[in-house]
Amino acid sequence: MSEAPGLGPKESVPAPRAAPREVWKKGGRLLSVLLAVNVLLLACTLISGGAFNKVAVYDTDVFALLTTMMLLAAVWILFYLLRTARCPDAVPYLDAHAGPIWLRGGLVLFGICTLVMDVFKTGYYSSFFECQSAIKILHPLIQAVFVIVQTYFLWVSAKDCIHVHLDLTRCGLMFTLTTNLAIWMAAVVDESVHQANSHSNVSHTRLSPDFGQGNSSGGDACSCNTAICQIFQQGYFYLYPFNIEYSLFASTMLYVMWKNVGRLLAATHSHSHTLSRASLFQETFFAGPILGLVLFVVGLAVFIIYEVQVSGEGGRTQQALVTYYSFNIVCLGLMTLVSLSGSIIYRFDRRAMDHHKNPTRTLDVALLMGAALGQYAISYYSIVAVVVGTPRDLLGALNLAHALLMIAQHTFQNVFIIESLHRGPPGEEPQEAPPKEACQGLTFANLDALHTLPAGPPTSRLVHPSPAEPQEAVTIILAPRGHWRRRCLKDISLFLLLCNVILWIMPAFGARPHFSNTVEVDFYGYSLWAAIVNICLPFGIFYRMHAVSSLLEVYVLS
């Protein structure tokens, strides 16, 4: 049968064939997600089961699972690197938004600290290797190799939009992401149980270093008595926060790579945000960085005083809590006001909104909103305990003010960051009225640079550059005075960045006013309150470091 010639072009439109390709793309993503969910649930079961003595899951089982996962992930990463190196057409596009330099730099910094932690952990378990399983010494060594391989992989391949072995690549990326989440979960459980044991005499863990003393083979044969063993033990516990952040940074970058598998990008795909060496620390009023540094130094002093007074035997916990809450109230109050002022400044910003598809920005927004829920939960539990509870003293009032300001600060800071991430780059302002005549050239001039020109109205003018070419015109557009807005936004970004760093350091390195303050413990009971804090606080700690990364991008975008 012959076809009508008029229907030929309509029949050849690739729209009907796009549907199966999209369905297969979603099918490959579904397969990788199902693989990740099953592996993550298995790891979660073993890690949570190994955290309690009543469950017959030993730490060696957890270490064996994590070691196997890291080996498999490292083998797949090497295969990916070899495949992309041998096939130049495997990566036809690069996502300019993925893997910015500050995110990769943070990954390298946390990776180096993780390697130091692995050295301390290897030294700790080697101190009594006669009564330890070999997997305990092998685990930190394999983790060191995995960190090195993965850090190099993410440094060189974070922007890849690969177009070969799509399903295998999706599954490999998801498995590697799951491996990092399992490492993060084990580190959080270990660190949380260690912190809980420091506030309680009841030992209920097998994952902390103290579990080996009565768990494996014979009581006190594996006790850590030497000075070098104590240094290794305390050292790797203080380095746990860096390992936790490394795993989360790697997970976010792997997720963006997973979203970019098989992605098609236009030749002029949006804009890229890069640090300019010439103006990295310029165009600021220096008020934000200076005030942020002052709060950072004061916060370090308050944190040291708090740790010394709480861990001491002089009964000065009440004074330590008052100092701790007072500093946090001042810091959170200033951060709330500054975030609110930044949102107000955006009301006068005429830059166009960036509506391009950007998986990195979508993930950043989701992580900011999701991670803030952990601190929201702790704050609301504290508010209920303080308001309904019996004691009405200074500490209760400070605790209540701290919880309320924590909610307000997270809310306004999220609004400021999310709105900043959706702004276009500097210089992109919407054109209110299109020109009626075509102009071949546009010259943007600053008001401060035009003091030598003849006085005229502050509107666009057509100037003939030479009588030889009267048909061409150059439009001189007098740019508005928006320089002060950029400076204010940069100051706000740096101030919030430094404040988030000190608010990350305090809980990440052991500050637990949730247990030192007995209001919540007496109201909810130790078991329930410990479960709430140990589940929600890791998300709050991650929120601070992720906010630092987002604020650095906001600083560049301003």
Side-chain angles (χ1 to χ4, degrees):
M1 296 178 62
S2 61
E3 241 181 76
L7 299 176
K10 296 181 181 179
E11 295 283 336
S12 62
V13 175
R17 290 177 296 186
R21 183 177 303 176
E22 185 68 20
V23 170
W24 178 241
K25 180 180 179 181
K26 292 181 179 179
R29 288 183 175 179
L30 179 61
L31 177 64
S32 61
V33 169
L34 289 176
L35 171 66
V37 168
N38 282 275
V39 175
L40 186 61
L41 287 177
L42 174 62
C44 181
T45 302
L46 286 178
I47 292 171
S48 59
F52 299 96
N53 283 327
K54 295 182 180 180
V55 182
V57 177
Y58 292 92
D59 59 315
T60 52
D61 302 326
V62 178
F63 290 148
L65 174 66
L66 295 178
T67 302
T68 304
M69 293 176 66
M70 288 187 291
L71 283 174
L72 292 175
V75 169
W76 177 84
I77 289 174
L78 294 176
F79 166 77
Y80 179 96
L81 293 173
L82 183 63
R83 178 60 180 169
T84 53
R86 289 188 174 183
C87 183
D89 298 331
V91 185
Y93 305 101
L94 295 178
D95 186 359
H97 297 281
I101 185 62
W102 54 85
L103 188 61
R104 288 181 290 163
L107 184 77
V108 171
L109 175 62
F110 292 135
I112 293 174
C113 295
T114 301
L115 294 177
V116 177
M117 186 202 72
D118 290 329
V119 172
F120 277 85
K121 187 177 290 188
T122 304
Y124 168 73
Y125 286 119
S126 300
S127 300
F128 38 84
F129 64 92
E130 298 89 354
C131 63
Q132 290 287 353
S133 174
I135 192 65
K136 294 183 180 179
I137 302 178
L138 185 63
H139 171 261
L141 297 177
I142 297 299
Q143 179 168 291
V145 175
F146 171 72
V147 167
I148 294 173
V149 173
Q150 180 177 248
T151 303
Y152 174 77
F153 163 66
L154 292 176
W155 183 271
V156 300
S157 305
K159 299 178 180 293
D160 289 358
C161 298
I162 192 170
H163 279 253
V164 295
H165 303 303
L166 299 184
D167 294 332
L168 178 61
T169 303
R170 291 190 182 101
C171 291
L173 288 170
M174 266 298 164
F175 182 80
T176 310
L177 188 152
T178 305
T179 302
N180 283 277
L181 290 180
I183 296 172
W184 168 75
M185 194 180 308
V188 167
V189 170
D190 197 354
E191 202 261 348
S192 298
V193 171
H194 173 74
Q195 293 294 337
N197 286 342
S198 64
H199 293 87
S200 174
N201 293 326
V202 180
S203 177
H204 56 277
T205 180
R206 292 180 179 225
L207 285 181
S208 64
D210 299 333
F211 71 89
Q213 300 177 9
N215 224 17
S216 297
S217 59
D220 296 331
C222 292
S223 57
C224 183
N225 296 323
T226 62
I228 188 66
C229 180
Q230 293 288 340
I231 293 175
F232 284 141
Q233 178 183 0
Q234 295 298 324
Y236 92 78
F237 261 118
Y238 277 109
L239 291 172
Y240 255 140
F242 300 105
N243 181 31
I244 292 172
E245 295 301 330
Y246 173 84
S247 300
L248 294 175
F249 269 48
S251 299
T252 57
M253 297 176 71
L254 288 166
Y255 175 81
V256 174
M257 289 186 65
W258 178 77
K259 290 287 289 184
N260 283 332
V261 173
R263 184 182 175 194
L264 299 174
L265 297 179
T268 59
H269 174 68
S270 187
H271 49 268
S272 61
H273 310 314
T274 56
L275 287 171
S276 175
R277 295 182 181 179
S279 62
L280 181 60
F281 294 107
Q282 296 178 2
E283 298 185 352
T284 62
F285 291 116
F286 293 102
I290 292 175
L291 182 58
L293 282 174
V294 170
L295 286 178
F296 181 83
V297 174
V298 174
L300 283 179
V302 169
F303 172 66
I304 295 173
I305 294 173
Y306 171 83
E307 286 293 312
V308 171
Q309 291 182 344
V310 169
S311 59
E313 298 180 356
R316 305 173 65 181
T317 304
Q318 183 85 3
Q319 181 181 352
L321 287 172
V322 171
T323 305
Y324 182 89
Y325 281 131
S326 299
F327 169 77
N328 277 265
I329 288 172
V330 173
C331 185
L332 292 173
L334 290 175
M335 293 174 70
T336 302
L337 293 177
V338 168
S339 300
L340 185 59
S341 64
S343 299
I344 294 175
I345 291 176
Y346 276 129
R347 304 285 76 80
F348 302 96
D349 194 355
R350 297 191 298 170
R351 281 184 294 168
M353 302 297 290
D354 183 7
H355 298 292
H356 293 91
K357 183 179 180 180
N358 188 347
T360 304
R361 181 176 59 204
T362 303
L363 178 62
D364 287 339
V365 173
L367 290 177
L368 284 172
M369 299 298 292
L373 295 178
Q375 196 59 59
Y376 281 156
I378 294 178
S379 298
Y380 281 115
Y381 274 103
S382 297
I383 290 173
V384 172
V386 172
V387 173
V388 181
T390 305
R392 308 285 183 181
D393 53 359
L394 173 62
L395 191 59
L398 292 175
N399 193 1
L400 178 61
H402 175 263
L404 292 174
L405 282 174
M406 187 70 74
I407 295 173
Q409 189 272 323
H410 278 72
T411 302
F412 288 111
Q413 180 172 270
N414 279 348
V415 171
F416 171 71
I417 293 177
I418 293 172
E419 187 171 6
S420 302
L421 294 178
H422 284 83
R423 292 283 174 173
E428 280 194 3
E429 294 190 356
Q431 201 171 16
E432 297 179 359
K436 297 181 180 180
E437 299 179 2
C439 298
Q440 283 77 13
L442 291 177
T443 302
F444 292 86
N446 197 323
L447 284 174
D448 299 331
L450 295 179
H451 59 276
T452 59
L453 295 180
T459 57
S460 301
R461 301 182 279 122
L462 291 181
V463 180
H464 297 287
S466 64
E469 297 179 352
Q471 71 278 5
E472 292 187 0
V474 177
T475 303
I476 299 179
I477 300 178
L478 302 184
R481 288 185 178 269
H483 194 56
W484 67 271
R485 290 198 297 268
R486 293 200 306 271
R487 288 193 171 191
C488 289
L489 291 174
K490 286 180 178 292
D491 275 33
I492 290 172
S493 303
L494 289 178
F495 172 77
L496 293 176
L497 187 149
L498 291 170
C499 290
N500 277 278
V501 170
I502 188 60
L503 292 180
W504 172 78
I505 289 176
M506 286 184 170
F509 287 90
R512 293 293 185 273
H514 319 85
F515 298 110
S516 302
N517 184 11
T518 59
V519 176
E520 293 91 345
V521 176
D522 295 338
F523 187 82
Y524 295 108
Y526 181 81
S527 299
L528 177 58
W529 181 238
I532 293 170
V533 172
N534 291 331
I535 291 174
C536 298
L537 188 60
F539 293 98
I541 295 174
F542 168 68
Y543 171 85
R544 292 300 177 187
M545 187 51 62
H546 188 69
V548 169
S549 176
S550 300
L551 286 166
L552 188 55
E553 184 171 359
V554 171
Y555 174 81
V556 176
L557 287 174
S558 299

